[in-house]
Amino acid sequence: MSASSILLPVDAFGRPRLKVAFVGTHGVGKTTLCFDLAAQLKRLDLGVDIVKEVARRCPLPINEDTTFDAQAWILHTQIAEEIEAASHYEVVVCDRSVLDNYAYLVARVGRRSELEPLVREWVRGYHSLFKVPVLSAPAFDGKRAVSPSFQLEIDGIIDDLVRDLGVTVYHLDPMDREQWTTQALLQLGLPTQPPQIDLFAARE
Protein backbone atom coordinates (compact mmCIF):
# COMPACT_ATOMS: atom_id res chain seq x y z
CA MET A 1 0.00 0.00 0.00
CA SER A 2 1.39 3.41 -0.97
CA ALA A 3 1.50 6.50 1.22
CA SER A 4 -1.32 7.98 -0.86
CA SER A 5 -3.53 4.92 -0.36
CA ILE A 6 -4.28 5.97 3.22
CA LEU A 7 -6.05 9.04 1.83
CA LEU A 8 -8.62 6.92 0.01
CA PRO A 9 -11.97 5.78 1.43
CA VAL A 10 -12.24 2.09 2.26
CA ASP A 11 -14.84 -0.34 0.94
CA ALA A 12 -16.82 -2.99 2.82
CA PHE A 13 -13.75 -5.26 2.76
CA GLY A 14 -11.45 -2.62 4.24
CA ARG A 15 -9.68 -2.01 0.92
CA PRO A 16 -8.77 1.54 -0.17
CA ARG A 17 -11.06 2.26 -3.08
CA LEU A 18 -12.06 5.41 -4.99
CA LYS A 19 -14.36 5.68 -8.01
CA VAL A 20 -14.79 8.94 -9.85
CA ALA A 21 -16.43 9.88 -13.14
CA PHE A 22 -16.36 12.78 -15.54
CA VAL A 23 -19.91 13.41 -16.69
CA GLY A 24 -21.28 15.56 -19.46
CA THR A 25 -22.41 15.57 -23.03
CA HIS A 26 -20.19 14.44 -25.90
CA GLY A 27 -17.35 16.53 -27.28
CA VAL A 28 -16.44 18.34 -24.06
CA GLY A 29 -13.10 16.70 -23.29
CA LYS A 30 -14.01 13.98 -20.77
CA THR A 31 -11.67 11.39 -22.28
CA THR A 32 -8.65 13.69 -22.15
CA LEU A 33 -9.47 14.53 -18.54
CA CYS A 34 -9.70 10.84 -17.64
CA PHE A 35 -6.21 10.17 -18.95
CA ASP A 36 -4.79 13.33 -17.37
CA LEU A 37 -6.26 12.50 -13.96
CA ALA A 38 -5.19 8.85 -14.20
CA ALA A 39 -1.62 9.95 -14.97
CA GLN A 40 -1.60 12.25 -11.95
CA LEU A 41 -2.95 9.50 -9.71
CA LYS A 42 -0.30 7.07 -10.95
CA ARG A 43 2.35 9.63 -9.98
CA LEU A 44 0.92 9.38 -6.47
CA ASP A 45 1.75 5.66 -6.61
CA LEU A 46 -1.91 4.60 -6.74
CA GLY A 47 -3.24 1.66 -8.74
CA VAL A 48 -5.52 3.20 -11.37
CA ASP A 49 -7.76 1.90 -14.14
CA ILE A 50 -9.89 3.81 -16.64
CA VAL A 51 -13.36 2.65 -17.66
CA LYS A 52 -13.39 3.95 -21.20
CA GLU A 53 -16.53 5.15 -22.98
CA VAL A 54 -18.41 1.92 -23.67
CA ALA A 55 -20.76 3.51 -26.24
CA ARG A 56 -17.96 3.35 -28.78
CA ARG A 57 -18.14 -0.45 -28.66
CA CYS A 58 -21.91 -0.72 -28.78
CA PRO A 59 -23.03 -3.09 -31.56
CA LEU A 60 -26.25 -1.12 -32.00
CA PRO A 61 -26.97 2.42 -33.27
CA ILE A 62 -25.96 5.32 -31.01
CA ASN A 63 -26.13 9.14 -31.12
CA GLU A 64 -29.35 10.52 -32.60
CA ASP A 65 -30.33 7.11 -33.98
CA THR A 66 -29.97 5.26 -30.71
CA THR A 67 -32.60 2.87 -29.38
CA PHE A 68 -33.70 1.59 -25.99
CA ASP A 69 -31.79 -1.65 -26.58
CA ALA A 70 -28.61 0.21 -27.50
CA GLN A 71 -28.72 2.41 -24.43
CA ALA A 72 -29.63 -0.50 -22.15
CA TRP A 73 -26.57 -2.34 -23.50
CA ILE A 74 -24.38 0.70 -22.83
CA LEU A 75 -25.79 1.25 -19.33
CA HIS A 76 -25.33 -2.34 -18.18
CA THR A 77 -21.92 -2.70 -19.82
CA GLN A 78 -20.79 0.44 -17.99
CA ILE A 79 -21.84 -1.07 -14.67
CA ALA A 80 -20.16 -4.41 -15.42
CA GLU A 81 -16.87 -2.75 -16.36
CA GLU A 82 -16.91 -0.55 -13.26
CA ILE A 83 -17.38 -3.64 -11.08
CA GLU A 84 -14.51 -5.43 -12.80
CA ALA A 85 -12.14 -2.46 -12.54
CA ALA A 86 -12.95 -1.83 -8.86
CA SER A 87 -12.15 -5.45 -8.02
CA HIS A 88 -8.53 -5.00 -9.14
CA TYR A 89 -7.59 -1.34 -8.72
CA GLU A 90 -7.53 1.21 -5.91
CA VAL A 91 -8.87 4.00 -8.11
CA VAL A 92 -11.30 3.75 -11.01
CA VAL A 93 -11.68 6.77 -13.30
CA CYS A 94 -14.77 6.59 -15.52
CA ASP A 95 -15.23 8.26 -18.88
CA ARG A 96 -18.95 8.87 -18.29
CA SER A 97 -21.15 7.49 -15.56
CA VAL A 98 -24.48 5.69 -15.53
CA LEU A 99 -26.09 9.13 -15.18
CA ASP A 100 -25.03 10.53 -18.53
CA ASN A 101 -25.47 7.17 -20.25
CA TYR A 102 -29.06 7.23 -18.98
CA ALA A 103 -29.43 10.78 -20.33
CA TYR A 104 -29.00 9.53 -23.91
CA LEU A 105 -31.72 6.94 -23.31
CA VAL A 106 -34.03 9.61 -21.88
CA ALA A 107 -33.40 11.80 -24.92
CA ARG A 108 -34.89 9.20 -27.23
CA VAL A 109 -37.35 7.08 -25.25
CA GLY A 110 -38.02 9.10 -22.10
CA ARG A 111 -37.44 8.20 -18.47
CA ARG A 112 -38.01 4.53 -17.73
CA SER A 113 -39.39 3.28 -14.43
CA GLU A 114 -37.64 -0.08 -14.78
CA LEU A 115 -34.18 1.53 -15.10
CA GLU A 116 -34.35 4.69 -13.01
CA PRO A 117 -34.09 2.93 -9.60
CA LEU A 118 -30.90 1.24 -10.84
CA VAL A 119 -29.45 4.54 -12.03
CA ARG A 120 -30.48 6.30 -8.81
CA GLU A 121 -28.79 3.65 -6.66
CA TRP A 122 -25.68 3.11 -8.78
CA VAL A 123 -24.86 6.79 -9.14
CA ARG A 124 -24.42 6.98 -5.37
CA GLY A 125 -21.47 4.62 -5.66
CA TYR A 126 -19.26 7.30 -7.23
CA HIS A 127 -17.20 9.14 -4.65
CA SER A 128 -17.14 12.20 -6.90
CA LEU A 129 -18.80 13.22 -10.16
CA PHE A 130 -17.19 16.04 -12.14
CA LYS A 131 -19.45 17.83 -14.62
CA VAL A 132 -17.56 18.98 -17.70
CA PRO A 133 -19.08 22.13 -19.26
CA VAL A 134 -19.79 22.69 -22.94
CA LEU A 135 -17.23 25.08 -24.40
CA SER A 136 -17.54 24.33 -28.11
CA ALA A 137 -19.41 22.21 -30.63
CA PRO A 138 -18.24 18.60 -30.99
CA ALA A 139 -15.77 17.65 -33.72
CA PHE A 140 -16.30 14.51 -35.77
CA ASP A 141 -14.03 11.63 -34.75
CA GLY A 142 -15.61 8.76 -36.65
CA LYS A 143 -18.20 8.02 -33.96
CA ARG A 144 -19.28 11.16 -32.16
CA ALA A 145 -22.40 13.09 -33.17
CA VAL A 146 -21.57 16.61 -34.37
CA SER A 147 -24.93 18.36 -34.03
CA PRO A 148 -24.59 21.27 -31.57
CA SER A 149 -28.31 21.09 -30.76
CA PHE A 150 -28.07 17.39 -29.86
CA GLN A 151 -24.98 18.11 -27.75
CA LEU A 152 -26.85 20.79 -25.80
CA GLU A 153 -29.97 18.62 -25.52
CA ILE A 154 -27.98 15.92 -23.73
CA ASP A 155 -26.25 18.49 -21.53
CA GLY A 156 -29.63 19.84 -20.43
CA ILE A 157 -31.01 16.35 -19.71
CA ILE A 158 -27.97 15.57 -17.56
CA ASP A 159 -28.61 18.74 -15.54
CA ASP A 160 -32.29 17.76 -15.17
CA LEU A 161 -31.34 14.29 -13.92
CA VAL A 162 -28.79 15.71 -11.48
CA ARG A 163 -31.51 17.90 -10.01
CA ASP A 164 -34.33 15.34 -10.02
CA LEU A 165 -32.26 12.47 -8.62
CA GLY A 166 -30.56 14.63 -6.00
CA VAL A 167 -27.07 13.84 -7.29
CA THR A 168 -24.08 15.77 -5.96
CA VAL A 169 -21.91 16.99 -8.83
CA TYR A 170 -18.80 19.16 -8.81
CA HIS A 171 -18.95 21.62 -11.71
CA LEU A 172 -15.58 22.26 -13.33
CA ASP A 173 -14.88 25.95 -13.92
CA PRO A 174 -15.46 26.79 -17.62
CA MET A 175 -13.10 29.77 -17.27
CA ASP A 176 -10.17 27.69 -16.02
CA ARG A 177 -9.88 24.65 -18.27
CA GLU A 178 -6.13 24.28 -17.73
CA GLN A 179 -6.74 23.61 -14.04
CA TRP A 180 -9.51 21.01 -14.34
CA THR A 181 -7.31 18.10 -13.33
CA THR A 182 -5.96 20.08 -10.37
CA GLN A 183 -9.51 21.02 -9.39
CA ALA A 184 -10.47 17.34 -9.41
CA LEU A 185 -7.50 16.31 -7.25
CA LEU A 186 -8.21 19.02 -4.71
CA GLN A 187 -11.89 18.09 -4.58
CA LEU A 188 -10.85 14.48 -3.91
CA GLY A 189 -8.57 15.59 -1.08
CA LEU A 190 -5.47 14.28 -2.86
CA PRO A 191 -2.13 16.04 -3.35
CA THR A 192 -1.43 17.63 -6.70
CA GLN A 193 2.22 16.56 -6.58
CA PRO A 194 3.83 13.27 -5.49
CA PRO A 195 5.48 13.38 -2.06
CA GLN A 196 9.15 14.32 -2.06
CA ILE A 197 11.52 11.54 -1.10
CA ASP A 198 14.12 12.52 1.52
CA LEU A 199 17.20 10.89 0.00
CA PHE A 200 19.43 11.93 2.88
CA ALA A 201 17.12 10.30 5.43
CA ALA A 202 17.07 7.16 3.29
CA ARG A 203 20.87 6.87 3.60
CA GLU A 204 20.81 6.96 7.41
Coordinates of all heavy atoms in Angstrom, one line a residue, residues 43-90:
R43 N 1.2 9.0 -10.6 CA 2.3 9.6 -10.0 C 2.3 9.6 -8.5 O 3.3 9.8 -7.8 CB 2.5 11.1 -10.5 CG 2.8 11.2 -12.0 CD 3.1 12.6 -12.4 NE 3.3 12.7 -13.9 CZ 2.3 13.1 -14.7 NH1 1.2 13.6 -14.2 NH2 2.5 13.2 -16.0
L44 N 1.1 9.5 -7.9 CA 0.9 9.4 -6.5 C 1.1 7.9 -6.0 O 0.8 7.6 -4.8 CB -0.5 9.9 -6.0 CG -0.7 11.4 -6.3 CD1 -2.1 11.8 -5.9 CD2 0.3 12.3 -5.7
D45 N 1.5 7.1 -6.9 CA 1.8 5.7 -6.6 C 0.5 4.9 -6.3 O 0.5 4.0 -5.4 CB 2.8 5.5 -5.5 CG 3.4 4.1 -5.5 OD1 3.4 3.5 -6.5 OD2 3.9 3.7 -4.4
L46 N -0.6 5.3 -6.9 CA -1.9 4.6 -6.7 C -2.2 3.7 -7.9 O -1.8 4.0 -9.1 CB -3.0 5.6 -6.6 CG -3.0 6.5 -5.4 CD1 -4.0 7.6 -5.5 CD2 -3.3 5.7 -4.1
G47 N -2.8 2.6 -7.7 CA -3.2 1.7 -8.7 C -4.5 2.2 -9.4 O -5.5 2.4 -8.7
V48 N -4.4 2.5 -10.7 CA -5.5 3.2 -11.4 C -5.9 2.4 -12.6 O -5.1 1.9 -13.4 CB -5.1 4.6 -11.8 CG1 -6.3 5.4 -12.4 CG2 -4.5 5.4 -10.6
D49 N -7.2 2.4 -12.9 CA -7.8 1.9 -14.1 C -8.8 2.9 -14.7 O -9.4 3.6 -13.9 CB -8.4 0.5 -14.0 CG -8.7 -0.2 -15.3 OD1 -8.0 0.2 -16.3 OD2 -9.5 -1.1 -15.3
I50 N -8.9 2.9 -16.0 CA -9.9 3.8 -16.6 C -11.0 3.0 -17.3 O -10.7 2.0 -18.0 CB -9.2 4.7 -17.7 CG1 -8.2 5.6 -17.1 CG2 -10.3 5.5 -18.5 CD1 -7.4 6.4 -18.2
V51 N -12.2 3.3 -17.0 CA -13.4 2.7 -17.7 C -13.7 3.6 -18.8 O -14.2 4.7 -18.7 CB -14.6 2.5 -16.7 CG1 -15.8 2.0 -17.6 CG2 -14.3 1.5 -15.6
K52 N -13.2 3.1 -20.0 CA -13.4 3.9 -21.2 C -14.9 4.0 -21.7 O -15.7 3.2 -21.2 CB -12.5 3.4 -22.3 CG -11.0 3.4 -21.9 CD -10.2 2.8 -23.0 CE -8.7 2.8 -22.7 NZ -8.4 1.8 -21.6
E53 N -15.2 4.9 -22.5 CA -16.5 5.1 -23.0 C -17.0 3.9 -23.7 O -16.6 3.6 -24.8 CB -16.6 6.4 -23.9 CG -18.0 6.8 -24.3 CD -18.1 8.0 -25.1 OE1 -17.0 8.5 -25.6 OE2 -19.2 8.5 -25.3
V54 N -18.0 3.2 -23.1 CA -18.4 1.9 -23.7 C -19.3 2.1 -24.9 O -19.4 1.2 -25.7 CB -19.1 1.1 -22.6 CG1 -18.2 0.8 -21.4 CG2 -20.4 1.7 -22.1
A55 N -19.9 3.3 -25.1 CA -20.8 3.5 -26.2 C -20.0 3.3 -27.6 O -20.6 2.9 -28.6 CB -21.3 4.9 -26.2
R56 N -18.7 3.5 -27.6 CA -18.0 3.3 -28.8 C -17.9 1.9 -29.2 O -17.5 1.6 -30.4 CB -16.6 3.9 -28.6 CG -16.6 5.4 -28.4 CD -15.2 6.0 -28.3 NE -15.2 7.5 -28.2 CZ -15.3 8.3 -29.3 NH1 -15.3 7.8 -30.5 NH2 -15.4 9.6 -29.1
R57 N -18.2 1.0 -28.3 CA -18.1 -0.5 -28.7 C -19.5 -1.1 -28.8 O -19.7 -2.3 -28.9 CB -17.3 -1.2 -27.6 CG -15.9 -0.9 -27.6 CD -15.1 -1.6 -26.6 NE -15.2 -1.0 -25.3 CZ -15.8 -1.4 -24.2 NH1 -16.3 -2.6 -24.2 NH2 -15.8 -0.8 -23.1
C58 N -20.5 -0.2 -28.7 CA -21.9 -0.7 -28.8 C -22.2 -1.3 -30.2 O -21.9 -0.6 -31.2 CB -22.9 0.4 -28.4 SG -24.6 -0.1 -28.5
P59 N -22.7 -2.5 -30.3 CA -23.0 -3.1 -31.6 C -24.3 -2.6 -32.2 O -24.6 -3.0 -33.3 CB -23.2 -4.6 -31.2 CG -23.7 -4.6 -29.8 CD -23.0 -3.4 -29.1
L60 N -25.0 -1.7 -31.5 CA -26.3 -1.1 -32.0 C -26.1 0.4 -32.3 O -25.1 1.0 -31.9 CB -27.4 -1.4 -31.0 CG -27.6 -2.9 -30.6 CD1 -28.5 -3.0 -29.4 CD2 -28.2 -3.6 -31.8
P61 N -27.1 1.0 -32.9 CA -27.0 2.4 -33.3 C -26.9 3.3 -32.0 O -27.5 3.0 -31.0 CB -28.3 2.7 -34.0 CG -28.7 1.4 -34.6 CD -28.3 0.4 -33.5
I62 N -26.1 4.4 -32.1 CA -26.0 5.3 -31.0 C -26.2 6.7 -31.6 O -26.7 6.9 -32.7 CB -24.6 5.2 -30.3 CG1 -23.5 5.6 -31.3 CG2 -24.4 3.8 -29.7 CD1 -22.1 5.8 -30.6
N63 N -25.9 7.7 -30.8 CA -26.1 9.1 -31.1 C -27.6 9.4 -31.4 O -28.5 8.8 -30.7 CB -25.3 9.5 -32.3 CG -23.8 9.4 -32.0 OD1 -23.3 9.8 -30.9 ND2 -23.0 8.9 -33.0
E64 N -27.9 10.2 -32.4 CA -29.4 10.5 -32.6 C -30.2 9.3 -33.0 O -31.4 9.3 -32.8 CB -29.5 11.6 -33.7 CG -28.9 12.9 -33.3 CD -27.5 13.1 -33.9 OE1 -26.7 12.1 -34.0 OE2 -27.1 14.3 -34.2
D65 N -29.6 8.3 -33.5 CA -30.3 7.1 -34.0 C -30.4 6.0 -32.9 O -30.8 4.9 -33.3 CB -29.7 6.6 -35.3 CG -29.7 7.6 -36.4 OD1 -30.7 8.3 -36.5 OD2 -28.8 7.6 -37.2
T66 N -30.0 6.3 -31.7 CA -30.0 5.3 -30.7 C -31.4 4.7 -30.4 O -32.4 5.3 -30.7 CB -29.3 5.8 -29.4 OG1 -28.9 4.7 -28.6 CG2 -30.2 6.7 -28.6
T67 N -31.4 3.5 -29.7 CA -32.6 2.9 -29.4 C -32.5 2.5 -27.9 O -31.5 2.6 -27.3 CB -32.8 1.6 -30.2 OG1 -31.7 0.7 -29.9 CG2 -32.8 1.9 -31.7
F68 N -33.7 2.1 -27.4 CA -33.7 1.6 -26.0 C -32.7 0.4 -25.8 O -32.0 0.4 -24.8 CB -35.1 1.1 -25.6 CG -35.2 0.5 -24.2 CD1 -35.3 1.3 -23.1 CD2 -35.1 -0.9 -24.1 CE1 -35.3 0.7 -21.8 CE2 -35.2 -1.4 -22.8 CZ -35.3 -0.6 -21.7
D69 N -32.7 -0.5 -26.7 CA -31.8 -1.7 -26.6 C -30.3 -1.2 -26.6 O -29.5 -1.7 -25.8 CB -32.0 -2.6 -27.7 CG -33.3 -3.4 -27.5 OD1 -33.9 -3.4 -26.4 OD2 -33.7 -4.1 -28.5
A70 N -30.0 -0.3 -27.4 CA -28.6 0.2 -27.5 C -28.2 0.9 -26.2 O -27.1 0.6 -25.6 CB -28.4 1.2 -28.6
Q71 N -29.1 1.7 -25.7 CA -28.7 2.4 -24.4 C -28.8 1.5 -23.2 O -28.0 1.7 -22.3 CB -29.6 3.6 -24.2 CG -29.4 4.7 -25.2 CD -28.0 5.2 -25.3 OE1 -27.5 5.5 -26.4 NE2 -27.3 5.4 -24.2
A72 N -29.6 0.5 -23.2 CA -29.6 -0.5 -22.1 C -28.3 -1.3 -22.2 O -27.7 -1.6 -21.1 CB -30.8 -1.4 -22.3
W73 N -27.8 -1.6 -23.4 CA -26.6 -2.3 -23.5 C -25.4 -1.5 -22.9 O -24.6 -2.0 -22.2 CB -26.3 -2.7 -25.0 CG -25.1 -3.5 -25.2 CD1 -25.0 -4.8 -25.3 CD2 -23.7 -3.0 -25.3 NE1 -23.7 -5.2 -25.5 CE2 -22.9 -4.1 -25.5 CE3 -23.1 -1.7 -25.3 CZ2 -21.5 -4.0 -25.7 CZ3 -21.7 -1.6 -25.5 CH2 -20.9 -2.7 -25.7
I74 N -25.4 -0.2 -23.3 CA -24.4 0.7 -22.8 C -24.4 0.8 -21.3 O -23.4 0.8 -20.6 CB -24.5 2.1 -23.5 CG1 -24.2 2.0 -25.0 CG2 -23.6 3.1 -22.9 CD1 -24.6 3.2 -25.8
L75 N -25.6 1.0 -20.8 CA -25.8 1.3 -19.3 C -25.3 0.1 -18.5 O -24.5 0.2 -17.6 CB -27.3 1.5 -19.0 CG -27.6 1.8 -17.6 CD1 -27.0 3.1 -17.1 CD2 -29.1 1.8 -17.4
H76 N -25.7 -1.1 -18.9 CA -25.3 -2.3 -18.2 C -23.9 -2.7 -18.4 O -23.2 -3.3 -17.5 CB -26.3 -3.5 -18.5 CG -27.7 -3.3 -18.0 ND1 -28.7 -2.7 -18.8 CD2 -28.2 -3.6 -16.8 CE1 -29.8 -2.7 -18.1 NE2 -29.5 -3.2 -16.9
T77 N -23.3 -2.4 -19.6 CA -21.9 -2.7 -19.8 C -21.1 -1.8 -19.0 O -20.0 -2.2 -18.4 CB -21.6 -2.5 -21.3 OG1 -22.4 -3.4 -22.1 CG2 -20.1 -2.8 -21.6
Q78 N -21.5 -0.5 -18.9 CA -20.8 0.4 -18.0 C -20.7 -0.1 -16.6 O -19.6 -0.1 -15.9 CB -21.5 1.8 -18.0 CG -21.0 2.8 -17.0 CD -19.8 3.6 -17.6 OE1 -19.8 3.8 -18.8 NE2 -19.0 4.2 -16.8
I79 N -21.8 -0.6 -16.0 CA -21.8 -1.1 -14.7 C -20.9 -2.3 -14.5 O -20.1 -2.4 -13.6 CB -23.3 -1.4 -14.3 CG1 -24.1 -0.1 -14.1 CG2 -23.3 -2.2 -13.0 CD1 -25.6 -0.4 -13.9
A80 N -21.0 -3.2 -15.5 CA -20.2 -4.4 -15.4 C -18.7 -4.0 -15.4 O -17.9 -4.6 -14.7 CB -20.5 -5.3 -16.6
E81 N -18.3 -3.1 -16.3 CA -16.9 -2.7 -16.4 C -16.4 -2.0 -15.1 O -15.2 -2.1 -14.7 CB -16.6 -2.0 -17.6 CG -16.9 -2.8 -18.9 CD -16.2 -2.3 -20.1 OE1 -15.6 -1.2 -20.1 OE2 -16.4 -2.9 -21.2
E82 N -17.3 -1.2 -14.5 CA -16.9 -0.6 -13.3 C -16.7 -1.6 -12.2 O -15.7 -1.5 -11.4 CB -18.0 0.4 -12.9 CG -18.0 1.7 -13.7 CD -19.1 2.7 -13.3 OE1 -19.6 2.5 -12.2 OE2 -19.5 3.6 -14.1
I83 N -17.5 -2.6 -12.1 CA -17.4 -3.6 -11.1 C -16.1 -4.4 -11.3 O -15.3 -4.6 -10.3 CB -18.6 -4.6 -11.1 CG1 -19.9 -4.0 -10.7 CG2 -18.3 -5.9 -10.3 CD1 -21.1 -4.8 -10.9
E84 N -15.8 -4.7 -12.5 CA -14.5 -5.4 -12.8 C -13.3 -4.6 -12.4 O -12.4 -5.1 -11.8 CB -14.5 -5.8 -14.3 CG -13.2 -6.6 -14.6 CD -13.2 -7.0 -16.1 OE1 -14.1 -6.6 -16.9 OE2 -12.2 -7.7 -16.5
A85 N -13.3 -3.3 -12.8 CA -12.1 -2.5 -12.5 C -11.9 -2.3 -11.0 O -10.8 -2.3 -10.5 CB -12.3 -1.1 -13.2
A86 N -13.0 -2.1 -10.3 CA -12.9 -1.8 -8.9 C -12.5 -3.1 -8.1 O -11.9 -2.9 -7.0 CB -14.3 -1.4 -8.3
S87 N -12.6 -4.2 -8.7 CA -12.1 -5.4 -8.0 C -10.6 -5.6 -8.1 O -10.1 -6.4 -7.3 CB -12.8 -6.7 -8.6 OG -12.3 -6.9 -9.9
H88 N -10.0 -4.8 -9.0 CA -8.5 -5.0 -9.1 C -7.7 -3.8 -8.8 O -6.5 -3.9 -8.6 CB -8.2 -5.4 -10.6 CG -8.8 -6.7 -11.0 ND1 -8.4 -7.9 -10.5 CD2 -9.8 -7.0 -11.9 CE1 -9.1 -8.9 -11.0 NE2 -9.9 -8.4 -11.9
Y89 N -8.3 -2.6 -8.8 CA -7.6 -1.3 -8.7 C -8.1 -0.5 -7.6 O -9.3 -0.5 -7.3 CB -7.7 -0.5 -10.0 CG -7.0 -1.2 -11.2 CD1 -7.7 -2.1 -12.0 CD2 -5.6 -1.0 -11.4 CE1 -7.0 -2.8 -13.0 CE2 -5.0 -1.6 -12.5 CZ -5.7 -2.5 -13.3 OH -5.1 -3.2 -14.3
E90 N -7.2 0.3 -7.0 CA -7.5 1.2 -5.9 C -8.4 2.3 -6.4 O -9.4 2.8 -5.7 CB -6.3 1.8 -5.3 CG -5.4 0.8 -4.5 CD -4.1 1.4 -4.1 OE1 -3.4 2.1 -4.9 OE2 -3.8 1.3 -2.9

